[in-house]
Amino acid sequence: MPTVPFGHALRLHRVRAGLSLSELSARVHYSSPYLSRVESGERRPNPELARLCDVALGAGGALTGLVPAHGLPAPVGRRPPAVPPVAQFPSTTACPVTLPADDDTEDARLISHYALHLAELRRLAQRMSPSAVLGQVGTSVILLDTLGRAAHNSAVRRQYVELLAHYADFAGWMAQEADDEPAAERWIGRTEVLAAEAGATDLADHTLIRRACLALYRRDARGVVEYATEAGRRAPGSPRVRGLAALREAQGLALAGHADACDGALDRAAELLGTAPRPRPPALSVGSEVTPRLPALVGGWCLHDLGRPEEAAERLGSGLLLVPARSQRLRSLFTARLAQSLATCGRLDALVPVVDTLLRDSAGLCSHTVRTELRSLAVSLRRRYARPHMRELHARVTAALHCAGCAPPV
């Protein structure tokens, strides 16, 4: 437990820096009365304010360390991640499919068909509600499981199982986007089992990165780093998986306030993803099609969590220019983080067109991850009610949060 209350420490660092409350207010974009109440102990600080003040006053992490944010104790250590138990899935009860004996041509046609079908579902998922896409995934999983069990030889069965693993991985992502974490955990567990059976080690290792993503949205920095570092440790021969793991690790380290370790993880990710070989066709690739462009975006994401919103806005704005328009779900997520950074650093004139774009592009996606970012944006906008156009913007963001299609599952 800290021996000095945050408010006393904030006042001490502010006085040492020679700043008045109004001058600090201008730097961190929190009102002077609010900062005064924090210093007096009347208001509890949030992690965002602690990081902004830390950077503004050059406190070197002293202020951030006084406000827990589900973070990691320094130094960051490694311990085996607590992977949830794999859910057991009953075998399909459907009768085996009847195919001509040793008809490898028919199997090859079906495998190709479902691989292309998964690619199409991934494209649809960039502009549709996840619940609509999940219905299609469930039907395909049943059919592929039936076809795999009817395969005439082990090589063909392995192909069906690997394809089934990729469907399960996609379903886990869609379940998270639909705000159904238990279902996402079950799909991730099934992906791990199927990928191991098929010998798809990259995909099996990638399930730890999926679990790290779930931990990120629980604000569990320790869980993020543990899952991500374990994924990197398990995949020494896969630069792509190790690079993706390093990006997720950086997000966890930023959430915990460890700037230097975060920068190291980002540098490692950029190097690994820059040398990773070209992936297989999109339906059977691990990670997003825009994976090579992710380091710039994730770097901006981390800068925001580290209390450096001006730099975050610049990094995110330039990174989004590299993302194709068809990647609508990913673009919306990082545009929401850009909007947060602009609001936090007080660039309100630049904020309005960004929010306009965000609300247009995210309409109909029913994305839990985007909605999480919008909630944080709404909180930031409420602090700026003194400006009439900010009240209107807050009302629009709040309305987007109450989309009927985005209601969490019962």
Side-chain angles (χ1 to χ4, degrees):
M1 293 293 293
T3 57
V4 180
F6 179 85
H8 292 179
L10 176 59
R11 182 183 292 115
L12 174 62
H13 283 284
R14 178 175 62 79
V15 171
R16 284 177 176 172
L19 296 181
S20 66
L21 276 172
S22 59
E23 289 170 328
L24 179 59
S25 171
R27 293 192 182 188
V28 300
H29 304 283
Y30 279 72
S31 70
S32 297
Y34 183 89
L35 292 174
S36 178
R37 290 195 292 273
V38 170
E39 286 193 354
S40 67
E42 295 177 36
R43 293 296 299 266
R44 295 179 62 183
N46 59 56
E48 178 192 79
L49 175 61
R51 289 169 185 167
L52 290 171
C53 290
D54 211 314
V55 173
L57 299 175
L63 293 174
T64 301
L66 295 176
V67 183
H70 307 289
L72 297 163
V76 177
R78 284 189 183 179
R79 63 179 173 85
V83 179
V86 176
Q88 297 298 315
F89 290 83
S91 301
T92 178
T93 57
C95 295
V97 66
T98 300
L99 291 174
D102 302 321
D103 191 350
D104 292 339
T105 302
E106 182 66 8
D107 281 316
R109 187 189 68 79
L110 288 167
I111 290 167
S112 176
H113 166 78
Y114 279 104
L116 292 172
H117 179 58
L118 178 56
E120 187 58 40
L121 287 177
R122 283 180 165 176
R123 284 190 287 268
L124 287 172
Q126 291 293 335
R127 52 191 175 89
M128 290 183 67
S129 166
S131 58
V133 180
L134 276 168
Q136 288 287 315
V137 175
T139 301
S140 298
V141 164
I142 292 172
L143 290 170
L144 283 168
D145 185 50
T146 304
L147 288 164
R149 292 177 186 280
H152 299 298
N153 61 67
S154 58
V156 171
R157 170 163 172 74
R158 189 201 64 79
Q159 292 180 66
Y160 277 119
V161 172
E162 182 177 6
L163 187 53
L164 189 55
H166 281 276
Y167 269 87
D169 176 65
F170 173 69
W173 173 42
M174 287 292 96
Q176 181 185 2
E177 283 289 272
D179 195 14
D180 190 349
E181 185 171 329
E185 287 280 12
R186 290 193 297 272
W187 280 114
I188 291 170
R190 190 172 188 183
T191 303
E192 188 173 31
V193 171
L194 291 167
E197 180 183 345
T201 55
D202 284 8
L203 186 57
D205 297 334
H206 187 259
T207 59
L208 289 166
I209 301 174
R210 290 285 193 209
R211 289 190 169 108
C213 187
L214 294 178
L216 181 67
Y217 282 90
R218 291 193 299 265
R219 307 288 293 176
D220 175 11
R222 177 183 290 277
V224 175
V225 174
E226 286 174 347
Y227 282 129
T229 54
E230 179 65 9
R233 186 190 67 79
R234 287 190 192 178
S238 174
R240 186 178 179 87
V241 172
R242 289 169 58 209
L244 290 169
L247 287 179
R248 194 68 76 204
E249 179 185 352
Q251 288 178 296
L253 290 164
L255 188 59
H258 298 303
D260 291 343
C262 174
D263 288 342
L266 288 170
D267 290 343
R268 193 166 70 252
E271 181 180 356
L272 288 165
L273 293 176
T275 60
R278 187 177 182 85
R280 300 167 63 184
L284 296 180
S285 62
V286 173
S288 165
E289 67 169 337
V290 299
T291 290
R293 301 177 177 88
L294 285 178
L297 292 168
V298 174
W301 179 291
C302 293
L303 285 168
H304 177 86
D305 277 342
L306 290 168
R308 294 153 63 184
E310 294 92 345
E311 297 171 69
E314 293 301 322
R315 186 84 63 90
L316 288 163
S318 59
L320 281 165
L321 295 175
L322 304 175
V323 179
R326 64 179 177 274
S327 299
Q328 194 169 333
R329 194 171 289 274
L330 183 140
R331 284 184 62 87
S332 295
L333 177 61
F334 283 98
T335 301
R337 181 53 65 121
L338 170 60
Q340 278 196 68
S341 297
L342 291 170
T344 302
C345 67
R347 293 174 55 187
L348 303 184
D349 291 337
L351 173 64
V352 175
V354 170
V355 174
D356 287 342
T357 300
L358 169 61
L359 296 182
R360 183 189 67 241
D361 290 349
S362 63
L365 292 181
C366 299
S367 167
H368 167 59
T369 54
V370 173
R371 194 163 59 248
T372 300
E373 299 298 313
L374 282 175
R375 288 196 191 98
S376 297
L377 176 61
V379 171
S380 184
L381 291 174
R382 285 195 65 180
R383 299 202 307 270
R384 294 164 173 82
Y385 265 6
R387 304 195 182 195
H389 65 298
M390 288 298 105
R391 289 199 292 272
E392 178 186 350
L393 205 62
H394 177 268
R396 292 173 59 202
V397 170
T398 303
L401 285 171
H402 290 83
C403 166
C406 291
V410 178

